[in-house]
Amino acid sequence: MRTVYVTGVGIVSAIGIGVAANWSALNAMTTGISYSKHLNSVLKNMLPAAEVAATTAELAGIYGDTGNLFPNRVNIMAAIALREAIKNNLVAATAGQFGFINASSVGGMGDVEDIYDALVDPDNHDEKIIPLGETMDCGFGTQELARHFNLTNFIGTISTACSSSANALIFGARLIRNGLLEGVVCGGADTLTRFTLNGFNSLKNIDKNHCRPFDANRNGLNLGEGAAYLVLESDEMLQKTGSKPLAIFSGCCNYNEAFHPTAPSPEGEGAYQAMKGALDLAGLSPEDISYINAHGTATLNNDLAEAFAFHRLFGDQLPVFSSTKCYTGHTLAAAGAIEAVFSVLSLKHQELYPVLNFDTPMPELNLVPLTTVERNIPVKHILSNSFGFGGNNASLLFSRYD
């Protein structure tokens, strides 16, 4: 089976635009969670969120000439991250045997919400507004980005809620491992929308304060927005591009537990099976794992279910773990790729990023996550978890490249 290497990463999140800015914020333990300035919602001053600190016009200015790209917020964020990821692979990316797998949960809904009344008004015949309805299709952004970056050889769109971009990476890795592609860029993007904010709030899953992953007093998540992409290459493609791997994508697994539309099984069955499957594919044992970037949303049931899965898989030898959603918020379809980028940074720099706002362990299992930045420590293998509505569970395993 082919080895899959990570050779490029790009990211936009509430803690920064670009890999360097995100890395700096993680090391400084600086959160991007605050009150939204750009989302048009009556709840924006009540529910904290991790919003990218730029208007859509400002993001377009940062990107530069958008050319033939439809310039809505999700596309521009995605383009900034995608360009950073493939900057050293542009020639290779435009060659054959290279694919593009993109993920989103709401597509361009964030922009459409602001003109929705006009969009559904039967007496409105504004030719500039009518086509905007198509941008809510998650595949619309994929096609736009593929055309803009000349990535049209093989494209696909994944929309499996909060595990979307993790599943995009899994799909891309399978295409390489099975010899269908030599390289692929995978990731996803999502923006804050009234739809998701109201939806999660109706489920009583949003904390009115900053989220507290794995804390006994956690009371829900904070939503976020962002985009992240990773370039994956085979050995054969490395010989053509000359790329230097940042990490090895050594294992992955997705598992649908089909327990409940919006809640995990209390025992963490899906989380356990996803992590175990990733270990099995990589040929590793639980004791080989240096660190877990947990899904860790800080909702009551998710963190407990994930903790039970940890206990079942690792017993009393639980590796260091944390959740980085207290920095970026829960970015839904982008979360898996964002946290995959953080995992690659941990492997590259041999350091680990802690949770914020932790005070008291959950009484059920008494697990204590990492609470300070760890530097200059041996980090060899990292599990990164992403679990989503509909019972979707995905676990990615990245290994150090020496």
Side-chain angles (χ1 to χ4, degrees):
M1 186 178 294
R2 283 175 158 179
T3 300
V4 179
Y5 301 92
V6 180
T7 61
V9 294
I11 185 170
V12 172
S13 80
I15 58 173
I17 296 175
V19 172
N22 277 265
W23 181 46
S24 177
L26 290 170
N27 271 284
M29 297 175 62
T30 301
T31 183
I33 295 171
S34 184
Y35 290 105
S36 173
K37 296 180 179 177
H38 312 307
L39 180 66
N40 184 16
S41 168
V42 295
L43 297 174
K44 69 178 186 179
N45 295 321
M46 300 169 59
L47 303 177
E51 186 177 62
V52 174
T55 65
T56 302
E58 289 168 340
L59 288 170
I62 292 168
Y63 184 70
D65 184 10
T66 54
N68 62 353
L69 180 69
F70 187 85
N72 60 3
R73 187 170 181 82
V74 68
N75 281 353
I76 295 174
M77 284 200 307
I80 293 171
L82 191 52
R83 182 174 64 182
E84 184 179 32
I86 64 176
K87 61 183 178 184
N88 296 322
N89 304 73
L90 281 173
V91 175
T94 55
Q97 294 300 302
F98 196 91
F100 173 45
I101 310 299
N102 189 44
S104 183
S105 69
V106 293
M109 186 182 291
D111 289 69
V112 172
E113 285 177 335
D114 290 335
I115 51 90
Y116 185 74
D117 289 343
L119 184 66
V120 298
D121 182 355
D123 296 323
N124 189 320
H125 303 289
D126 188 336
E127 294 182 354
K128 294 182 179 178
I129 290 180
I130 293 173
L132 296 182
E134 297 181 9
T135 67
M136 291 197 295
D137 184 333
C138 295
F140 178 87
T142 304
Q143 292 177 317
E144 283 290 307
L145 294 161
R147 186 177 67 250
H148 183 67
F149 286 96
N150 194 20
L151 293 167
T152 57
N153 176 61
F154 185 106
I155 68 173
T157 303
I158 302 286
S159 188
T160 57
C162 309
S163 62
S164 297
S165 56
N167 277 323
L169 284 155
I170 290 174
F171 184 36
R174 285 176 175 168
L175 290 168
I176 292 174
R177 286 196 172 97
N178 289 284
L180 299 176
L181 292 175
E182 290 185 354
V184 59
V185 57
C186 309
D190 255 337
T191 64
L192 289 168
T193 71
R194 279 175 274 174
F195 173 79
T196 45
L197 188 67
N198 293 339
F200 276 88
N201 191 43
S202 69
L203 292 170
K204 302 187 185 302
N205 271 348
I206 295 185
D207 199 329
K208 293 182 179 179
N209 300 297
H210 286 209
C211 65
R212 310 178 70 171
F214 297 102
D215 192 283
N217 298 309
R218 69 196 181 283
N219 194 33
L221 55 80
N222 305 127
L223 287 172
E225 62 179 2
Y229 294 90
L230 294 87
V231 177
L232 308 180
E233 297 187 42
S234 65
D235 282 304
E236 292 82 355
M237 191 159 186
L238 283 181
Q239 293 176 11
K240 297 176 183 177
T241 63
S243 300
K244 181 180 179 181
L246 301 171
I248 300 172
F249 189 9
S250 49
C252 54
C253 181
N254 54 10
Y255 184 94
N256 194 301
E257 62 189 10
F259 173 76
H260 187 276
T262 62
S265 75
E267 299 81 14
E269 177 67 20
Y272 168 80
Q273 294 293 349
M275 289 189 290
K276 185 176 185 303
L279 283 168
D280 291 345
L281 183 63
L284 296 174
S285 302
E287 55 267 29
D288 293 319
I289 299 302
S290 310
Y291 164 72
I292 305 169
N293 185 308
H295 184 55
T297 58
T299 59
L300 298 180
N301 53 7
N302 176 82
D303 284 13
L304 187 58
E306 190 171 13
F308 277 125
F310 289 164
H311 184 69
R312 180 179 173 188
L313 183 61
F314 297 99
D316 295 331
Q317 304 300 314
L318 178 63
V320 177
F321 72 100
S322 70
S323 166
T324 48
K325 288 185 173 65
C326 40
Y327 299 83
T328 63
H330 189 354
T331 55
L332 305 181
I338 284 176
E339 291 158 27
V341 171
F342 293 165
S343 297
V344 170
L345 289 176
S346 285
L347 289 164
K348 178 181 177 183
H349 298 289
Q350 296 289 280
E351 60 190 21
L352 301 175
Y353 315 115
V355 297
L356 305 174
N357 314 313
F358 180 83
D359 182 59
T360 307
M362 296 184 294
E364 295 88 348
L365 285 169
N366 197 36
L367 302 182
V368 178
L370 182 69
T371 58
T372 59
V373 178
E374 293 284 340
R375 300 185 180 90
N376 301 315
I377 59 171
V379 185
K380 294 183 177 179
H381 306 286
I382 293 178
L383 275 171
S384 183
N385 291 336
S386 294
F387 310 139
F389 285 171
N392 290 291
N393 296 273
S395 191
L396 313 178
L397 205 166
F398 297 97
S399 299
R400 181 179 179 180
Y401 177 82
D402 294 315

